[in-house]
Amino acid sequence: MGGHHAASGAAAWVAVTATTPIAFGWYPVSDVGIMTGAIVCAGAALLPDADHHSGTIANSLSPVSDAVVKVVETVSGGHRKGTHSILGVLAFTAMAWLVGLLAIDTGLEGDLGTILIGPGIVCVLLVAFALKALKITRDTKILPWTVSLTLAVLIAIFAPSEWYWMPFSVALGCVVHIIGDMLTTQGVPLVWPLKFRSPTWMRDGRGLELDMIWRNGGNLSLPILGDAGSVREWLFMTPVSLYAVVGIAWAALDQMGFDTMAVWDGLVNGIGDLVTSWF
C-alpha cells in the first residue's frame, strides 16, 4: 500500500544513513540529511507507482504530478511493468543524477556560492508524493505545494550540500518499493522488458508451490506478506514505521543539542540490570 511504501522508504533511509546504535551507518549523512532524506526517500519509495494514472501519487502535486504520471505510464508500458524492474531503478536514479547537475552560480562566498536547483525540483515532487501517501495532505491543493517548496528552499539556502545524496535516495527508495511489492502475491517483473513465462509444468498444479514464486505472467514473487493491504502487511509494517519515526526523532534531538547517547546508554544499562535481576 502507498503509505507503507513511504514508511519503508523512510525506515530504509534511517537504517542506511544514521550512525546511531539502531542503524547501520553505511552511508553517513548529517542529522539534517537524516531528517530531510527520510522524507525524500519516502517519496522516492513511491516512484515506481508513478506508472498508474489513478495511483496514490497521481494527483499529489497537480498539475505537475498528473503530467509526470502520464509520461511514466506510457514509457513503462503500464502498471507494474518497467518501473518495477531493475531497469526502472537505474532509469530513475540516472534521471535524479542528471537533474541534480542543474545549478545556479550566485557568485557569493561559501555554501551560497552554488545553489543546486535540480535536486530542489526533485525534492518538491518527492515530498509531495510522501505527504499524499501518508495522508497528510489528502485532497488539498495548496498544502502540498507549500510544504514541498518550503522544504526545498530551506535546504537550498541553509544546507545546500545535503543535496548530494539525492540520486542515492532515489535509488534506495525505488529498491525498497520493489522489494515490498515482491513480498506480495502479485510480484514484480524484475528483468523487464524481458519476459520469461513460468514452465507449463509449473502452471498445471505440479509446481510444488513454485507457481507462487514464478507467476504465470513472468513476475517474480516471494509472497510472505500475502495480498497488498493484508493483515500480515500491517503487522510487518507497524514496527517498521515506528522505527522510521524513532530514527527521525533521534536525528532531530541530536540536531537540537540533546545528549541522546546518554539516554540510550541509560536505557540499555537499565534493561541489562533488569534482565540480570531476573536471572
Side-chain angles (χ1 to χ4, degrees):
M1 304 297 287
H4 288 161
H5 278 309
S8 65
W13 182 258
V14 170
V16 172
T17 63
T19 55
T20 60
I22 63 171
F24 301 113
W26 294 332
Y27 186 87
V29 299
S30 68
D31 293 323
V32 172
I34 293 171
M35 292 183 287
T36 56
I39 301 174
V40 172
C41 196
L46 293 159
L47 268 177
D49 277 346
D51 60 1
H52 196 345
H53 63 275
S54 60
T56 302
I57 64 176
N59 300 310
S60 59
L61 199 67
S62 297
V64 175
S65 58
D66 307 82
V68 170
V69 167
K70 288 179 182 178
V71 172
V72 173
E73 184 177 22
T74 301
V75 174
S76 66
H79 186 47
R80 283 214 187 190
K81 289 186 172 63
T83 61
H84 288 71
S85 67
I86 296 173
L87 182 60
V89 174
L90 295 176
F92 280 128
T93 305
M95 285 188 288
W97 177 75
L98 288 172
V99 174
L101 298 178
L102 296 175
I104 295 178
D105 187 358
T106 65
L108 300 175
E109 297 293 334
D111 288 340
L112 292 178
T114 301
I115 296 179
L116 301 174
I117 61 171
I121 295 172
V122 176
C123 174
V124 171
L125 191 62
L126 296 185
V127 170
F129 288 173
L131 296 178
K132 178 71 172 181
L134 296 172
K135 302 186 185 301
I136 295 175
T137 55
R138 295 185 179 274
D139 295 325
T140 58
K141 301 297 183 181
I142 298 177
L143 189 58
W145 280 102
T146 303
V147 175
S148 302
L149 284 172
T150 300
L151 180 61
V153 170
L154 287 176
I155 296 178
I157 294 176
F158 297 107
S161 60
E162 296 296 343
W163 285 139
Y164 292 105
W165 44 250
M166 182 64 72
F168 175 70
S169 175
V170 169
L172 180 62
C174 290
V175 168
V176 170
H177 180 110
I178 291 175
I179 292 175
D181 279 351
M182 195 171 180
L183 295 179
T184 63
T185 52
Q186 191 173 348
V188 294
L190 274 183
V191 294
W192 185 92
L194 301 178
K195 186 175 181 179
F196 299 101
R197 289 172 57 85
S198 56
T200 303
W201 64 266
M202 189 178 291
R203 304 195 299 271
D204 62 9
R206 295 181 286 116
L208 301 177
E209 301 302 325
L210 289 178
D211 56 328
M212 295 178 61
I213 299 175
W214 192 349
R215 307 295 293 173
N216 185 24
N219 284 12
L220 296 177
S221 170
L222 190 63
I224 297 173
L225 302 181
D227 294 334
S230 67
V231 174
R232 276 181 283 174
E233 179 182 326
W234 280 92
L235 290 175
F236 176 75
M237 284 307 305
T238 297
V240 171
S241 301
L242 290 174
Y243 172 81
V245 171
V246 170
I248 295 171
W250 191 314
L253 291 173
D254 279 343
Q255 181 66 22
M256 289 186 288
F258 287 92
D259 189 358
T260 53
M261 282 306 302
V263 176
W264 172 262
D265 291 338
L267 179 62
V268 171
N269 291 334
I271 294 175
D273 293 340
L274 185 61
V275 171
T276 301
S277 65
W278 281 352
F279 297 99

